[in-house]
Amino acid sequence: MTSILSPTTTAALNPANPTELRQAAYIAQQAADVRVNVELETDSGMTINLGPQHPATHGTLRIIARLDGEQVISCEPSMGYMHRGYEKLTEVRTYPQITTLVNRIDWLSSFANEVPFILAAEQLMGIEAPPRAQWLRTLLFEMARIANVALFLGDMGVQLGAVTPVFYAFRDREHVLNQIESATGGRFHPNYDRIGGLKEDLPKGWIAETRTVIEKVVNFCNQMDDLLVGNEIFGARCRGVGVIPAERALDYGLSGANARASGIDWDLRRDSESPLVWNKLDWKVWTHPDGDSFARYWVRLQEVRESCKMITQLLDGLPAGPIMAKVPRIIKVPAGEAWVSTENPLGEMGYYVVSQGGLGPFRVKIRSASFNNISIVPWVTKGVFVPDIITILASLYFILGDIDR
Amino acid sequence: MADLATTENAPDAACASLLALFRAEMGAAVVGAEIQRHEIIVRVHRDAWVEAATVAKRKLGLTYFCFISGMDWLDNPTQTSRYENVWGSVEEEVEGTEDGEPTAEGEPEAAAKLDPAPAAAPEAEAAANPAPASEAAPEPDPASEPVGFRTGVAGGDSRFQVMMRVVSPTAHRGLTIKADLDDTDPRVATLSGVYAGADWHERETWEMFGFWFDGHPNLIHIYLPHGFEGYPLRKDFPLLAREVKPWPGLTNVEPISGQAEEEVGAT
Amino acid sequence: MSTILHPIMGFVLAYWQQQVIKLAAILVAIPVGGLLLGYVFLMKMMAHMQSRLGPMEPGGFHGWFQNIGDAVKFIQKEDIIPAQADKWVFSLAPYVVVMSTFLLYLVIPVGPDLVVSNLSVGVFYALAVGSIGVLGVLMAGWSSANKYSLMGSLRAAGQLIAYELPLVLAVIGVVIQSGTMSMQGIVTAQQKFHIFGLNLGGMPFIVTQFPLFIIFMIAAQAELTQPPFDMPVAESELVTGYMTEYSGFRFLSFFLGEMGSAFALSAIAATLFLGGWYLPMPQSWINNNFADYIGPVILLTKVMFMAFLIFWIRFTYPRFREDQLQAIAWKYLIPISLLWIMVTAILKVAF
């Protein structure tokens, strides 16, 4: 990659014309990329670029892999192609505006991104949403989890070459998205959370519809159990591939299902003092001792089932009452610092909010799960084969927006 | 490692014991400490940065690495944290006249006046009407903070702070460690030898804040293109969109008097 | 050939006229066969299995026109040759692949008299020309000046060579049992073959050669580079491998070659193991050329059934890794086929 202002490209050009400079730099960069693709070094291995446009990276992640034959010598992810600077942008927005931004971090489960930020703001303001709002938040949080992880369950198949599961995933995820849309008005980016509660109450008939949708999701999980978990080739491709021991996982900050697949019995839904109502529900944290790609798939599959169980209980026990606490018309958050993290579909997502008492935060540190989850890739892909890179990446499960923020 | 497993019922006690252990291990290196709800926030001397991480991991069992990031406490007048209401008026205060209550809103503006570096936002000159003091909670420790900075929980006495957070996956208690860095040469030792995951986070912090992590194996850009100049998350880094068109963009809305006191009823 | 046209046209065709008709039939058969498989299985069956509609509008009935429209689209697309590519090799590679498919069709009998060339070493010939396609794949991968293509073609070479062996060994059992390598001879042998005194007017070799049939189908799947053996074109790893840089008609040629090979290998499997164009029928039908009219229909039915199996597996399974693929070929398929050949030979001598 050539710098836009590197001296080699600017020497012969008119320095007064920035457009010309930029064009020359662009051409030089293209030429460099072409060279990277053509040269076939053999003495120290071949460099292959997986990405930034590559079907396995679902987004613009670039993996620079040095290969010896099909074996990986080193593998370094290179990201930033989608960096949107949310941490900077939050500094020039008000609290209600920021939920719109953070919606876009992990775009498959947008609602789950809003919740920890709103909770952090509420914690600083010292207000608490009414019970119905908390139940609905939990409910939609779990639906967002299904919308996210269900896609993973199918996508893992397509990364390994089985095309069918991903269509089933899209099919059944569609119903979940429909429910999210009818409740929040937003299919992908609900922006439904407000400080002190929620935007509005559920529409009529939503609960009954959601029950049928959950049945479909359970059915989908069983299908995935048959299609992939019970499949010998899937097992051969996933078992023993990308093994991450528990202490390594913690060292790199792996969270969520990736950590639980390494046998770490830790789920923020159960183990943190969240105002959301997970502790009032009957569910189980699944772990797997193996720490390989199969374990990660299996744990996520069980988590979708647990989410379905949770949603059923949440629908049964949904309390009546207001969905909005008393909050000032203009949200001004008192000075202070708050760290709130929740167990998002991809792992621990947290916001470190520093307020100085104005309309917007002084600083927000967004701790997204995928960034840490992917940081283990150079370590875990050493010595594997090229197809295993894909398996490992797929099983670690990242969303580009969640890496790049 | 402390016995932290039986802490479900008494979270604050667990935090307190954890903090006590940390203090005992670190001694005088702990500059400031505070427990907020279930969060422990400590500030250590920057020379004890690696030691603090090592103690946290090896002695306290905080094996889960959460993040490393930075803070820039410089005041920036274009930030929304400076704004009092939606119509863009920044409360203007004569410096040094903190009559009666040191409100949360009052001070950053005073700080802006003292601060020589950043250009004042257009609103700073334009707006005049000081909004009535809201129901903001008193800030953590107003007395100890230096002029020009807000120092956050557990204090601070320099512009830059590096912070990290580690968690115990068994006791489910987290510890946020901060360290003050030098204003002109922010520099601290790397943690990548203690927590492997710190590698990428330090690269990110370096490119966003310009903190140098001594001993880091591969301190190169992670998000931004190679050759990018400047450190975007520093408060004096200009955000072009705000330079071109100041927040909130739409300025022809008339303010309603007494807006701040109005509250919407719950539905 | 000339005999079946005799009652219709009233005269016997000259040799060159027969050859022209045969050539035309082959030239029509491959695109039609490829399109048929592509339409029936790749579009409609896959769409239903994957719980989606697939193209429904073009042409009216279930979007039958879609495939033809696709072909037209491919033909009119720009033919892009990368700047760094080896131009000639790059241009020729798809045609080598298609040629290998064309040559396969020459020896498949579709009726007692309907065969382009009744070679005495028909099976041997079919397997030999089938592996020419590897050459085209290697050419495509090497000349594309793309690392994905190169890796894809090397994988393809390794895979196709490894699976050529079980394919050949699976055929040997049938050849031993029928005593001939001629495809027409193998069909004739199945008309007369019976075991345990059950003379039902012939019996397909699948009854005795079932293990070799399974091995043949697995190896055929690998030869076609279809899942679970599609590493050379693995789109999630190598972005369709050796086909990455191709566009327009050349890409269509690869597609046609793949579908045509699927059709041809299904036909070979149907001929070797299911009795080809023959079903238990009166000998008079064969004598008076009636079998020449129903033979193609019978064979097509069998081919569609075999292709259904191939595509069913294709849409269900994930793909293997390259080393696992080699392990399957060398550790399981080849020993089992050798064992079964031995059993066949012993039984052949004993009975």
Side-chain angles (χ1 to χ4, degrees):
Chain A
M1 301 284 278
T2 323
S3 154
I4 284 178
L5 293 173
S6 88
T8 50
T9 53
T10 56
L13 293 160
N14 175 16
N17 187 350
T19 320
E20 196 183 330
L21 289 183
R22 227 167 275 144
Q23 278 172 350
Y26 179 74
I27 292 164
Q29 198 169 327
Q30 295 292 310
D33 276 3
V34 167
R35 275 200 299 281
V36 163
N37 266 338
V38 172
E39 72 195 26
L40 303 167
E41 310 126 63
T42 46
D43 49 345
S44 62
M46 178 172 86
T47 308
I48 192 164
N49 276 304
L50 301 172
Q53 280 87 37
H54 188 276
T57 57
H58 38 113
T60 49
L61 181 71
R62 177 176 170 212
I63 310 262
I64 305 160
R66 288 196 73 76
L67 307 178
D68 179 12
E70 284 243 357
Q71 208 160 22
V72 177
I73 301 170
S74 70
C75 175
E76 184 67 37
S78 159
M79 56 273 201
Y81 293 88
M82 247 189 73
H83 188 59
R84 294 152 291 178
Y86 281 163
E87 291 186 18
K88 186 75 175 174
L89 289 178
T90 52
E91 294 174 1
V92 291
R93 273 170 179 64
T94 60
Y95 285 92
Q97 285 175 326
I98 287 170
T99 50
T100 318
L101 282 185
V102 298
N103 251 314
R104 269 91 180 152
I105 291 176
D106 163 16
W107 50 65
L108 289 184
S109 55
S110 306
F111 185 83
N113 297 339
E114 300 172 9
V115 170
F117 180 76
I118 293 290
L119 290 179
E122 286 179 356
Q123 184 178 320
L124 282 171
M125 290 178 78
I127 55 176
E128 193 153 328
R132 186 176 171 83
Q134 302 287 24
W135 280 72
L136 278 178
R137 275 179 187 172
T138 319
L139 183 56
L140 283 161
F141 199 104
E142 290 306 317
M143 291 194 76
R145 183 186 310 279
I146 291 175
N148 186 331
V149 181
L151 191 60
F152 161 80
L153 295 177
D155 176 73
M156 181 89 176
V158 86
Q159 302 290 350
L160 298 183
V163 195
T164 309
V166 79
F167 287 107
Y168 289 174
F170 273 116
R171 178 193 66 193
D172 291 326
R173 183 170 168 269
E174 201 67 19
H175 304 301
V176 179
L177 288 181
N178 284 343
Q179 289 311 102
I180 292 177
E181 186 187 16
S182 67
T184 66
R187 189 176 184 72
F188 253 54
H189 300 301
N191 206 7
Y192 187 56
D193 255 313
R194 297 287 183 272
I195 291 176
L198 295 170
K199 186 174 128 216
E200 56 204 2
D201 213 328
L202 293 178
K204 211 173 167 185
W206 192 84
I207 290 177
E209 274 174 38
T210 308
R211 281 185 210 279
T212 57
V213 165
I214 291 309
E215 278 169 27
K216 285 175 184 157
V217 174
V218 170
N219 188 31
F220 163 74
C221 290
N222 294 338
Q223 272 180 336
M224 287 301 115
D225 225 342
D226 293 342
L227 257 177
L228 290 178
V229 175
N231 187 316
E232 291 81 4
I233 301 178
F234 184 79
R237 284 295 304 279
C238 290
R239 285 190 193 272
V241 170
V243 178
I244 303 173
E247 62 270 23
R248 268 279 145 187
L250 291 170
D251 225 16
Y252 276 96
L254 261 64
S255 50
N258 290 333
R260 286 191 285 280
S262 294
I264 300 159
D265 187 15
W266 184 30
D267 193 317
L268 288 170
R269 289 175 285 179
R270 182 192 62 190
D271 298 327
S272 72
E273 289 77 7
S274 174
L276 269 62
V277 295
W278 286 301
N279 285 331
K280 296 182 179 129
L281 308 175
D282 172 34
W283 57 288
K284 179 170 159 49
V285 177
W286 290 91
T287 61
H288 199 288
D290 287 358
D292 56 5
S293 301
F294 184 85
R296 291 190 276 277
Y297 187 89
W298 186 86
V299 165
R300 288 208 175 87
L301 180 63
Q302 304 309 323
E303 279 187 7
V304 173
R305 288 181 166 151
E306 291 301 321
S307 287
C308 292
K309 262 165 70 180
M310 275 189 240
I311 290 174
T312 315
Q313 295 171 40
L314 286 160
L315 292 172
D316 290 339
L318 198 62
I323 56 157
M324 197 73 190
K326 282 178 93 67
V327 287
R329 174 79 64 84
I330 294 173
I331 303 281
K332 266 188 289 190
V333 174
E337 293 180 12
W339 161 262
V340 173
S341 64
T342 50
E343 185 72 33
N344 275 41
L346 295 165
E348 180 187 17
M349 173 150 204
Y351 294 86
Y352 198 98
V353 181
V354 180
S355 173
Q356 286 193 336
L359 292 174
F362 182 69
R363 162 141 172 75
V364 178
K365 161 68 192 172
I366 303 168
R367 192 274 185 202
S368 60
S370 293
F371 185 68
N372 276 43
N373 289 352
I374 285 304
S375 72
I376 202 169
V377 163
W379 182 82
V380 79
T381 52
K382 267 208 179 71
V384 302
F385 296 106
V386 173
D388 292 340
I389 301 180
I390 312 297
T391 313
I392 290 167
L393 280 179
S395 72
L396 283 172
Y397 192 37
F398 56 92
I399 302 287
L400 246 292
D402 205 40
I403 300 176
D404 281 359
R405 302 194 293 278
Chain B
M1 183 175 156
D3 177 27
L4 297 169
T6 59
T7 53
E8 288 297 302
N9 300 324
D12 287 329
C15 287
S17 68
L18 196 64
L19 181 58
L21 269 171
F22 187 76
R23 274 185 190 281
E25 291 286 343
M26 294 299 295
V30 180
V31 185
E34 195 160 325
I35 295 179
Q36 269 197 342
R37 293 194 172 204
H38 315 299
E39 287 298 313
I40 315 164
I41 300 168
V42 296
R43 186 159 64 95
V44 300
H45 195 267
R46 60 172 169 267
D47 294 336
W49 178 244
V50 178
E51 193 198 340
T54 316
V55 163
K57 185 180 179 185
R58 309 247 184 265
K59 301 273 172 55
L60 306 185
L62 304 166
T63 48
Y64 170 77
F65 171 76
C66 191
F67 68 83
I68 286 182
S69 190
M71 279 294 302
D72 180 0
W73 291 104
L74 186 73
D75 189 47
N76 180 356
T78 59
Q79 279 206 296
T80 39
S81 60
R82 294 273 314 264
Y83 289 94
E84 267 307 298
N85 62 44
V86 205
W87 296 283
S89 63
V90 176
E91 183 183 0
E92 197 136 311
E93 271 193 12
V94 187
E95 55 185 71
T97 60
E98 293 176 343
D99 43 355
E101 41 175 29
T103 59
E105 304 81 34
E107 287 203 345
E109 283 70 46
K113 288 289 151 196
L114 290 176
D115 182 50
E123 291 87 356
E125 284 87 33
N129 50 343
S134 70
E135 60 287 352
E139 55 197 86
D141 42 357
S144 68
E145 62 182 12
V147 178
F149 298 120
R150 296 301 210 84
T151 54
V153 179
D157 45 38
S158 66
R159 177 180 163 188
F160 295 123
Q161 269 185 343
V162 64
M163 58 199 252
M164 67 175 291
R165 190 183 136 81
V166 286
V167 188
S168 162
T170 47
H172 318 307
R173 288 292 170 276
L175 174 67
T176 306
I177 306 175
K178 296 178 174 180
D180 297 334
L181 299 186
D182 192 68
D183 284 4
T184 50
D185 182 26
R187 193 171 279 281
V188 74
T190 179
L191 291 187
S192 51
V194 187
Y195 292 98
D199 184 338
W200 282 24
H201 283 265
E202 286 178 353
R203 280 169 69 186
E204 189 198 353
T205 311
W206 168 73
E207 84 173 354
M208 291 296 169
F209 286 95
F211 299 169
W212 292 86
F213 292 90
D214 293 329
H216 190 282
N218 189 25
L219 201 61
I220 55 168
H221 282 290
I222 188 163
Y223 286 138
L224 303 172
H226 297 259
F228 188 91
E229 285 170 24
Y231 303 110
L233 278 181
R234 286 193 179 179
K235 299 287 181 189
D236 50 7
F237 187 90
L239 188 64
L240 232 67
R242 284 290 175 277
E243 307 272 312
V244 174
K245 189 169 191 182
W247 191 83
L250 188 69
T251 49
N252 58 353
V253 182
E254 290 181 14
I256 305 164
S257 61
Q259 190 71 50
E261 287 92 344
E262 256 185 58
E263 285 182 355
V264 281
T267 50
Chain C
M1 171 69 81
S2 61
T3 49
I4 68 158
L5 290 175
H6 183 246
I8 303 168
M9 302 174 74
F11 58 90
V12 176
L13 291 168
Y15 177 76
W16 69 270
Q17 285 168 323
Q18 290 185 27
Q19 297 311 309
V20 168
I21 289 176
K22 284 174 177 175
L23 194 65
I26 291 294
L27 286 177
V28 168
I30 293 168
V32 167
L35 282 177
L36 189 68
L37 289 193
Y39 173 68
V40 173
F41 295 120
L42 206 60
M43 295 203 168
K44 287 298 129 190
M45 192 184 85
M46 179 162 83
H48 282 285
M49 280 183 170
Q50 295 175 345
S51 162
R52 61 198 173 88
L53 287 177
M56 289 297 276
E57 296 298 324
F61 176 72
H62 274 262
W64 65 270
F65 195 72
Q66 178 69 37
N67 253 9
I68 297 160
D70 276 344
V72 171
K73 178 196 74 178
F74 275 122
I75 289 168
Q76 66 180 1
K77 267 191 170 180
E78 188 190 354
D79 181 27
I80 301 167
I81 298 178
Q84 307 266 341
D86 188 336
K87 194 162 176 274
W88 284 103
V89 182
F90 185 84
S91 311
L92 284 176
Y95 305 124
V96 173
V97 173
V98 174
M99 191 184 71
S100 121
T101 308
F102 271 68
L103 292 174
L104 270 179
Y105 280 70
L106 294 181
V107 289
I108 298 167
V110 293
D113 293 313
L114 289 179
V115 57
V116 176
S117 178
N118 189 10
L119 290 178
S120 58
V121 287
V123 176
F124 181 68
Y125 165 85
L127 295 174
V129 299
S131 46
I132 294 178
V134 186
L135 196 63
V137 168
L138 264 177
M139 284 163 69
W142 176 255
S143 63
S144 292
N146 182 322
K147 288 176 184 175
Y148 294 120
S149 300
L150 182 70
M151 285 178 70
S153 69
L154 289 177
R155 282 182 182 191
Q159 168 177 340
L160 298 187
I161 289 165
Y163 276 80
E164 206 65 39
L165 206 52
L167 201 68
V168 171
L169 291 175
V171 170
I172 286 178
V174 175
V175 172
I176 290 175
Q177 204 172 349
S178 63
T180 172
M181 279 174 114
S182 154
M183 299 280 265
Q184 193 67 276
I186 289 170
V187 176
T188 318
Q190 291 179 77
Q191 294 168 21
K192 305 193 171 68
F193 168 63
H194 55 87
I195 52 170
F196 309 128
L198 280 169
N199 198 346
L200 307 169
M203 204 176 257
F205 283 152
I206 190 174
V207 178
T208 48
Q209 303 289 345
F210 188 71
L212 292 186
F213 169 71
I214 298 291
I215 287 169
F216 185 90
M217 290 312 284
I218 293 173
Q221 195 88 12
E223 286 282 299
L224 294 169
T225 64
Q226 293 206 350
F229 306 105
D230 66 331
M231 300 74 151
V233 291
E235 69 220 37
S236 61
E237 297 157 24
L238 299 181
V239 210
T240 65
Y242 56 87
M243 291 195 269
T244 306
E245 298 288 351
Y246 281 91
S247 63
F249 187 69
R250 290 179 213 281
F251 181 81
L252 180 68
S253 303
F254 274 122
F255 179 77
L256 209 59
E258 186 190 336
M259 286 298 135
S261 297
F263 197 86
L265 275 171
S266 304
I268 292 173
T271 307
L272 296 182
F273 295 100
L274 295 183
W277 52 265
Y278 182 76
L279 273 183
M281 61 171 85
Q283 187 63 33
S284 61
W285 288 12
I286 297 173
N287 292 340
N288 67 8
N289 285 337
F290 183 62
D292 276 333
Y293 298 108
I294 60 165
V297 179
I298 293 169
L299 184 69
L300 184 68
T301 314
K302 291 177 179 174
V303 165
M304 292 308 263
F305 175 69
M306 304 304 273
F308 169 73
L309 290 182
I310 289 175
F311 282 86
W312 188 15
I313 291 167
R314 170 183 177 148
F315 302 139
T316 309
Y317 281 97
R319 76 173 69 87
F320 280 109
R321 214 168 49 204
E322 196 63 22
D323 55 327
Q324 294 166 341
L325 164 115
Q326 300 288 349
I328 289 167
W330 296 100
K331 283 187 187 163
Y332 301 103
L333 297 186
I334 291 173
I336 291 171
S337 51
L338 284 173
L339 190 74
W340 200 256
I341 288 167
M342 212 164 71
V343 171
T344 312
I346 290 168
L347 290 176
K348 179 84 180 171
V349 171
F351 296 99

